């Protein structure tokens, strides 16, 4: 039976924890190289922080941001009402208001909690990749996000985008630590973050909890060392959906119905809506969306990268959540409701991870054999 070696490997294994030859070639020796990778990752995160600060300093406030920050100085009850009036759960408003009380008022400061959440998301993503022996791909992944227009714009944005992403990546890190080690503190983080996720955003976090539970159960069949530990994230997700998500949804239901359309639109009409409206808006989120599509297709065609993706259990909830939102949006909303660019925010981390894994594989191939012209061409595309 094929199993996956423990928390540091993240690669398929056919013999009691020994990595396969292909997977081993993707890994690097510890020591000096690791120190360089850590330094490069720190620099990449620093670059992202500077870019986010500059964006928050120069970008005018959107009307939705103004609606969110206006009641920050008011009481708890008023903050809850203001959040629900904007069709979102209250966590981001409450965190933003508390952050303003601590640091003060200002164009950058009122976006500060979102920017810090974005940096925390990059740190969590880097740690997840590091735990699965990705090295050179980590700074590449961070830089891809740091130069993506959508990530910059909607991380330096006083609305619930960066905070839910940080909670999702933190939850994946906590679940992974719990499954591998079973420490009580990681289990406590699993329960706490599962309860916070439905309070952070309407659709993506609850869908994400469902996909995490399903993925853990599927991968748990190949990981007997996880044992009964798989039931904690499954139970925590189920409890959060029942005890937190349902009351939040009932509170928001009367306002969300305004976005629901009829079911009479044909598949042809929905397809035209996707081609004419959604895809162009998604393109604005990426640096070069057509290049991103090409690189993802190339990654799936390379066996080593495909195997690496299949071994990263936490990648699949990240990838399936925006796909589920994409499908639900086009099935349930009014035909005239636009697919805004910010809805593509949660597509960015999975795409960046794929690009990072391509970079990881390119480095391994350049180390192991002479450089070929196709490799030089692919390196140029990645650059």
């Amino acid at each position: 039976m094929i199993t996956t070696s423990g928390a540091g490997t993240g690669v398929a294994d056919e013999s009691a924890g020994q990595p396969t030859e292909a997977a081993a070639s993707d890994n690097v020796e510890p020591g000096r190289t690791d120190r360089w990778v850590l330094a490069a990752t720190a620099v990449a995160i620093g670059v992202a922080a500077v870019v986010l600060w500059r964006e928050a300093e120069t970008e005018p406030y959107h009307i939705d941001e103004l609606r969110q920050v206006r009641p920050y100085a008011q009481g708890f009850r008023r903050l809850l009402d203001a959040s629900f009036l904007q069709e979102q759960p209250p966590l981001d408003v409450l965190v933003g208001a508390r952050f303003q009380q601590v640091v003060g008022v200002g164009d950058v400061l009122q976006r500060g909690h979102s920017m810090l959440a974005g940096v925390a998301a990059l740190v969590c993503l880097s740690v997840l990749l590091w735990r699965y022996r990705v090295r050179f791909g980590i700074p590449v992944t961070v830089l891809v996000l740091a130069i993506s227009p959508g990530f910059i714009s909607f991380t330096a944005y006083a609305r619930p985008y960066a905070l839910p992403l940080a909670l999702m990546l933190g939850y994946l890190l906590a679940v992974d630590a719990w499954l591998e080690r079973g420490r009580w503190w990681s289990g406590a983080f699993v329960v706490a973050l599962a309860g916070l996720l439905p309070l952070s955003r309407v659709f993506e976090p609850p869908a994400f909890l469902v996909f995490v539970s399903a993925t853990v159960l599927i991968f748990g069949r190949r990981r007997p060392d996880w044992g009964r530990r798989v039931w904690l994230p499954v139970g925590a997700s189920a409890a959060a959906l029942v005890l937190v998500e349902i009351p939040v949804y009932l509170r928001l239901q009367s306002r969300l119905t305004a976005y629901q359309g009829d079911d009479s639109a044909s598949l042809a009409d929905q397809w035209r809506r996707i081609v004419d409206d959604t895809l162009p808006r998604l393109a604005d989120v990426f640096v070069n969306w057509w290049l991103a599509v090409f690189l993802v297709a190339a990654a799936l065609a390379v066996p080593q990268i495909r195997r690496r993706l299949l071994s990263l259990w936490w990648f699949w909830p990240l990838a399936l959540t925006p796909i589920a939102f994409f499908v639900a949006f086009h099935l349930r909303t009014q035909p005239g409701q636009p697919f805004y660019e910010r809805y593509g925010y949660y597509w960015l981390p999975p795409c960046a991870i794929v690009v990072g894994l391509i970079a990881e594989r390119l480095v391994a191939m350049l180390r192991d054999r002479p450089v070929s012209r196709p490799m030089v061409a692919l390196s140029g595309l990645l650059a």
Side-chain angles (χ1 to χ4, degrees):
M1 182 177 70
I2 298 178
T3 61
T4 306
S5 56
T9 64
V11 291
D13 186 7
E14 295 181 342
S15 60
Q18 298 299 320
T20 62
E21 180 179 356
S25 68
D26 283 347
N27 299 329
V28 295
E29 297 179 357
R32 184 177 179 182
T33 301
D34 285 359
R35 290 194 292 270
W36 278 107
V37 169
L38 289 172
T41 302
V43 170
I45 294 175
V47 168
V50 171
V51 172
L52 290 173
W53 182 280
R54 181 62 177 167
E55 177 75 9
E57 191 176 39
T58 59
E59 185 68 19
Y61 267 67
H62 190 272
I63 187 172
D64 288 340
E65 292 182 284
L66 294 175
R67 289 172 179 164
Q68 171 156 326
V69 303
R70 188 178 297 120
Y72 274 2
Q74 302 185 26
F76 179 79
R77 182 68 183 180
R78 180 69 182 88
L79 290 172
L80 290 180
D81 293 339
S83 176
F84 286 122
L85 285 173
Q86 297 182 73
E87 300 93 31
Q88 289 295 343
L91 184 62
D92 195 74
V93 172
L94 295 175
V95 173
R98 180 57 180 166
F99 191 83
Q100 177 178 292
Q101 293 175 6
V102 174
V103 303
V105 179
D107 289 345
V108 176
L109 297 179
Q110 288 179 301
R111 290 167 165 166
H113 76 286
S114 292
M115 294 190 297
L116 288 177
V119 172
L122 295 178
V123 172
C124 290
L125 181 56
S126 300
V127 175
L128 275 169
L129 290 168
W130 182 273
R131 285 174 62 86
Y132 282 77
R133 291 191 179 178
V134 178
R135 293 296 182 263
F136 293 104
I138 298 176
V140 173
T141 300
V142 173
L143 283 175
V144 167
L145 289 172
I147 64 174
S148 298
F151 185 82
I152 297 168
S153 297
F154 301 116
T155 298
Y157 190 72
R159 290 287 288 156
Y161 290 93
L163 181 59
L165 178 62
L167 291 175
M168 289 160 67
L169 289 167
Y171 183 69
L172 289 175
L173 188 56
V175 171
D176 190 64
W178 166 258
L179 292 175
E180 297 297 343
R181 300 290 184 180
R183 303 286 176 82
W184 69 267
W185 56 266
S186 57
F189 273 108
V190 169
V191 174
L193 292 174
L196 289 175
L197 276 166
L199 294 173
S200 63
R201 191 165 171 79
V202 172
F203 181 88
E204 289 89 350
F208 170 78
L209 288 174
V210 173
F211 287 127
V212 169
S213 298
T215 306
V216 165
L217 289 175
I218 293 172
F219 275 71
R221 299 181 63 182
R222 299 190 302 167
R223 292 294 304 270
D225 55 303
W226 287 358
R228 295 183 178 180
R229 292 195 293 270
V230 299
W231 294 109
L232 178 64
V234 173
S237 298
L241 292 173
V242 173
L243 300 178
V244 183
E245 172 60 20
I246 291 179
V248 169
Y249 177 79
L250 292 176
R251 177 70 182 270
L252 290 168
Q253 187 178 20
S254 61
R255 300 193 62 84
L256 294 177
T257 53
Y259 296 95
Q260 295 179 4
D262 55 42
D263 298 328
S264 60
S266 66
L267 291 177
D269 291 337
Q270 291 289 5
W271 176 250
R272 282 193 295 270
R273 182 186 181 192
I274 292 172
V275 172
D276 296 338
D277 179 70
T278 303
L279 292 183
R281 291 177 183 270
L282 274 178
D284 292 337
V285 179
F286 299 93
V287 178
N288 286 302
W289 70 271
W290 57 268
L291 182 56
V293 172
F294 169 78
L295 289 174
V296 170
L300 295 177
V302 177
Q304 293 88 345
I305 301 175
R306 186 170 65 249
R307 285 198 295 268
R308 176 63 71 90
L309 280 174
L310 290 174
S311 72
L312 301 178
W313 73 265
W314 48 265
F315 171 82
W316 299 102
L318 284 176
L320 292 172
T321 296
I323 295 174
F325 177 81
F326 182 90
V327 174
F329 179 89
H330 290 91
L331 290 179
R332 298 300 301 163
T333 59
Q334 297 175 1
Q337 182 72 20
F339 189 96
Y340 294 111
E341 290 89 346
R342 58 182 180 267
Y343 295 164
Y345 184 77
Y346 296 96
W347 291 79
L348 292 171
C351 292
I353 292 169
V354 171
V355 175
L357 293 182
I358 293 175
E360 181 91 357
R361 184 58 190 159
L362 285 174
V363 170
M365 294 177 70
L366 293 174
R367 284 159 50 95
D368 295 342
R369 57 179 64 89
V371 181
S372 63
R373 290 183 179 180
M375 287 297 301
V376 172
L378 187 55
S379 301
L381 281 175
L382 185 60

